[in-house]
């Protein structure tokens, strides 16, 4: 059994993304595509990982330097092909001790299982393993030339004859090399081809000529989807979302209209959660068992307790923690707030930087005024309190337990437990004055229109 080191090629930028962001940092499911590849390598059990990047891409370099796992960074100074890019990391594999798998940074859906398949062939008698697949349209991919059951060469689209272009079996990108093989073959590469590049794929023909065993693992076309354009980015996102939905349903989640639910890479939904149509998950969301997320809700950085009822049209922002059986209704926004067991905020409210104890009812249109233009301030509401509709709670503010805030109050001072707080002007009714006022206004309007 050989240990496997992974080399990820991420130096070839291309310009088709038309973006200030380097291609490999564009996200799929909220995670940079390069990170998807690195996570697959880690989940597979790569011993060491190297990434080859281009010159002058500080964003990618910074991303890799801050990465929690140690990553060897190599720079390919000129874009001279995938073989040349691999050579740029020669120091990484010069001791020839471990097997190597070369991956592409722009092919984020590669799964650990595929890497396992490559490894098991390398652990057998294979010297070189190629990940093959049959795409709907092979255009643009290297074709696998097979003779007598043997993979003899990979022919790049631009170098292929018309007959070779008709081959449907293509190179997906991942290539595995038994210990000692990569170094040996790379040294033999030339750039005599249509693109004057050093092709990593030429290793196959060289290996075959040397009588080495070259084998193919045939994988899922989705695993092989590469990204060179925004269109392909969207196509890969669609596959990723599809995988997340399938996974959620396999885990016991009900999705009423799966194709309308948008996941983030880290969305955690427990069994017996129900998600209605058109719900969007941003990063860091955990939804506990029995909770229902109603249609058109948007959640990020939120933990939703067991049996909670959210939405429709709720917006939960980072720092939201909702306890068991809480209710957050339509057009309610919550940020940086903990709402404890059984408390309800059912309509048209903003709750920010707050702590709401259990059993509280927050009436329609309540706003925690948490920002004074310079700093953020907290609001706390004690257990079993009642906040009347249309109240403005001006923070910093403490409302005790079992308190009652009268509807339409502007509360600027703390409210003790059990107190009734009125924070509104007293109403006066003037008999007959309403009808008189209407008559005056009507007359003024008629006079103005005659004058025109
Ligand atoms: C490559 C394969 C092709 C395969 C296809 C699968 C070669 C010669 N061709 O073609 O057989 O079917 O992928 O998607 O390998 N890169 C560098 N430095 C370079 C060139 C590329 O780091 O000088 C990196 C790119 O960032 C990318 C990867 O290598 O991550 C593949 O390069 P790309 O130009 O996309 O190769 P393809 O033409 O797609
Ligand atoms: Mg490509």
């Amino acid at each position: 059994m050989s240990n496997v080191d992974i080399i990820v090629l991420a130096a070839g930028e291309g310009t088709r993304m038309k973006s200030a962001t380097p291609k490999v940092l564009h996200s799929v499911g909220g995670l940079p595509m390069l990170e998807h590849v690195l996570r697959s390598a880690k989940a597979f059990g790569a011993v060491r990982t190297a990434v080859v990047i281009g010159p002058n891409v500080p964003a990618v370099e910074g991303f890799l330097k801050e990465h929690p796992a140690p990553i060897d960074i190599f720079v390919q100074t000129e874009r001279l092909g995938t073989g040349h890019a691999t050579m740029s990391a020669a120091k990484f594999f010069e001791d020839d001790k471990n097997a190597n798998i070369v991956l592409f940074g722009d092919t984020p859906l590669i799964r650990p299982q595929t890497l396992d398949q490559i490894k098991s062939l390398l652990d057998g008698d294979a010297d070189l393993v190629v990940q093959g697949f049959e795409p709907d349209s092979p255009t643009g991919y290297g074709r696998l030339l097979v003779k007598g059951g043997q993979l003899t060469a990979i022919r790049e689209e631009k170098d292929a004859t018309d007959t070779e272009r008709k081959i449907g079996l293509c190179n997906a990108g991942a290539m595995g090399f038994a210990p000692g093989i990569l170094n040996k073959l790379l040294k033999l590469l030339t750039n005599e081809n249509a693109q004057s590049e050093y092709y990593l794929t030429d290793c196959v023909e060289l290996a075959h000529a040397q009588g080495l065993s070259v084998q193919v693992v045939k994988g899922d076309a989705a695993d092989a989807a590469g990204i060179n354009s925004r269109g392909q980015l969207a196509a890969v996102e669609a596959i990723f979302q599809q995988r997340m939905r399938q996974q959620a349903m396999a885990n016991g989640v009900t999705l009423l209209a799966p194709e309308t639910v948008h996941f983030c890479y880290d969305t955690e939904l427990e069994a017996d959660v129900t998600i209605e149509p058109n719900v969007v998950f941003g990063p860091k969301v955990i939804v506990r068992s029995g909770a229902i997320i109603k249609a058109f809700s948007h959640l990020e950085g939120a933990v939703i307790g067991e049996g909670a009822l959210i939405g429709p049209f709720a917006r939960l922002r980072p720092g939201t923690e909702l306890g068991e059986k809480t209710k957050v209704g339509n057009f309610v926004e919550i940020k940086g707030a903990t709402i404890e067991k059984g408390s309800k905020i059912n309509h048209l409210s903003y709750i920010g930087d707050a702590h709401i104890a259990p059993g509280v009812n927050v009436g329609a249109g309540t706003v925690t005024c948490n920002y004074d233009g310079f700093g953020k301030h907290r609001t706390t509401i004690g257990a079993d309190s009642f906040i009347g509709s249309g109240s403005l709670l001006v923070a910093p503010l403490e409302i005790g337990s079992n308190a009652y805030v009268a509807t339409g109050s502007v509360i600027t001072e703390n409210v003790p437990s059990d107190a009734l707080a009125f924070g509104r002007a007293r109403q006066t009714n003037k008999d007959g004055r309403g009808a008189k006022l209407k008559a005056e206004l009507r007359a003024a309007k008629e006079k103005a229109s005659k004058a025109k």
Side-chain angles (χ1 to χ4, degrees), residues 28 33 45 120 170 178 278 324 373:
V28 172
M33 62 176 97
S120 61
C170 294
N278 296 299
E324 224 180 294

Side-chain angles (χ1 to χ4, degrees), residues 138-145 153-170 192-195 199 201-202 205:
T139 308
Y141 290 105
R143 310 300 205 283
L144 302 192
L145 309 191
I154 299 179
R155 190 73 73 233
E156 290 306 307
E157 169 97 10
K158 290 191 176 136
D159 301 287
T161 63
D162 287 347
T163 325
E164 286 169 341
R165 281 194 189 143
K166 292 202 177 88
I167 297 171
L169 184 60
C170 294
E192 287 148 25
N193 51 53
Q195 302 182 80
Y199 294 158
T201 44
D202 279 349
E205 198 160 3

Side-chain angles (χ1 to χ4, degrees), residues 4-10 34 37-38 41 46-53 64 69-75 85-86 88-93 100-105 182:
V4 181
D5 293 332
I6 300 264
I7 303 154
V8 183
L9 306 187
L34 178 56
V37 179
L38 295 174
V47 176
R48 298 182 306 147
T49 304
V51 178
V52 179
I53 61 174
L64 292 170
I71 289 165
D72 293 42
I73 303 169
F74 295 91
V75 177
T86 313
S88 310
K91 273 209 153 50
F92 184 71
F93 49 85
N100 294 281
I101 297 179
V102 181
L103 301 175
F104 293 162
L182 182 57

